[in-house]
Amino acid sequence: HQKADWVSIHQRICQLLIPIRTPLPFLLAERERKHGAEQLVKRQKYLADLAQGTAQQFVMEGKHEEALPAALHALRFGRELHGSNSLQLVPAYLLLAEASTGLGRFLEASKYLSQAEWLVLTSPDCGAALQSQLHRGLGLFCTARGNFEQALYHLANDVYLASSAFGLESIQVSGGYFHMANVFFRQNRADVADSLYAEV
């Protein structure tokens, strides 16, 4: 686990963790404390973005084992920044779910998806773009489990929500069409799959 963590993300962030983990001196003036706190938040945000970007890159490359430690760090830094009930954590949960699914750890993936779904459902101000990401994650999970009808349901919601957030001709919508086409292809419905691939 330590080696996987080191290869995945820790070698990139090790030196950056030092100023975050070091407490500010107590005897600083108010202005210096405020500046130190602002710098801490900036560093935490940078580390969260770096960890999330690294995890996303590994997932896209199919390196799910390497993606897990980076996604866990993204989640940890996100919690420190935004709290444990923030919508800002949903992308990290979705990355964890996708990496776990890629490794065949469906129970873990299901737990991460449940956390993401709970955050979305309990936040009335959640936008269509984030809901679209959630449905895509659920659709990919159902596809991996062989539950194609449920996968199509979630992927159709992904397309609808992405269309309402970004427009019908946006690149964000094409991912949902592509994954739906893959599901239809696995169901031996090549005619429908071909039309969706053409749409992409």
Side-chain angles (χ1 to χ4, degrees):
H1 292 297
Q2 286 179 333
K3 184 178 181 190
D5 182 52
W6 180 259
V7 169
S8 170
I9 190 70
H10 208 87
Q11 66 181 341
R12 299 177 194 191
I13 65 171
C14 190
Q15 292 301 312
L16 300 172
L17 289 173
I18 295 169
I20 287 179
R21 302 293 185 233
T22 306
L24 291 173
F26 183 71
L27 299 173
L28 292 177
E30 178 65 30
R31 196 177 70 157
E32 291 170 321
R33 276 196 303 272
K34 185 176 178 186
H35 177 72
E38 289 170 358
Q39 291 301 310
L40 176 65
V41 168
K42 284 182 184 177
R43 288 184 181 118
Q44 286 174 324
K45 178 154 179 34
Y46 174 78
L47 286 170
D49 292 344
L50 177 65
Q52 188 161 320
T54 301
Q56 204 161 21
Q57 185 66 36
F58 281 132
V59 165
M60 288 189 325
E61 293 171 1
K63 297 178 179 177
H64 301 109
E65 192 74 47
E66 290 89 344
L68 277 177
L72 283 169
H73 279 290
L75 181 63
R76 187 174 303 125
F77 292 130
R79 281 181 177 157
E80 289 175 9
L81 274 168
H82 308 292
S84 59
N85 293 321
S86 171
L87 281 174
Q88 303 283 346
L89 304 179
V90 171
Y93 279 123
L94 294 177
L95 283 170
L96 285 163
E98 193 168 350
S100 298
T101 300
L103 293 169
R105 299 176 186 166
F106 297 120
L107 185 59
E108 283 180 33
S110 176
K111 289 178 183 177
Y112 292 131
L113 285 169
S114 293
Q115 288 284 359
E117 194 170 21
W118 175 253
L119 290 174
V120 168
L121 291 174
T122 57
S123 301
D125 58 336
C126 182
L130 195 57
Q131 291 178 49
S132 166
Q133 288 178 25
L134 173 65
H135 280 285
R136 184 169 299 179
L138 290 165
L140 292 173
F141 176 74
C142 291
T143 301
R145 296 295 309 259
N147 187 348
F148 297 133
E149 291 307 315
Q150 194 67 23
L152 289 172
Y153 167 79
H154 287 298
L155 293 170
N157 279 320
D158 166 29
V159 168
Y160 171 76
L161 291 161
S163 297
S164 65
F166 304 107
L168 288 172
E169 302 295 322
S170 69
I171 193 75
Q172 289 87 348
V173 177
S174 66
Y177 284 132
F178 179 76
H179 293 302
M180 286 180 76
N182 288 341
V183 172
F184 282 118
F185 186 78
R186 288 179 66 179
Q187 290 180 318
N188 294 320
R189 295 166 68 184
D191 53 336
V192 180
D194 288 342
S195 69
L196 286 170
Y197 286 134
E199 184 69 26
V200 172

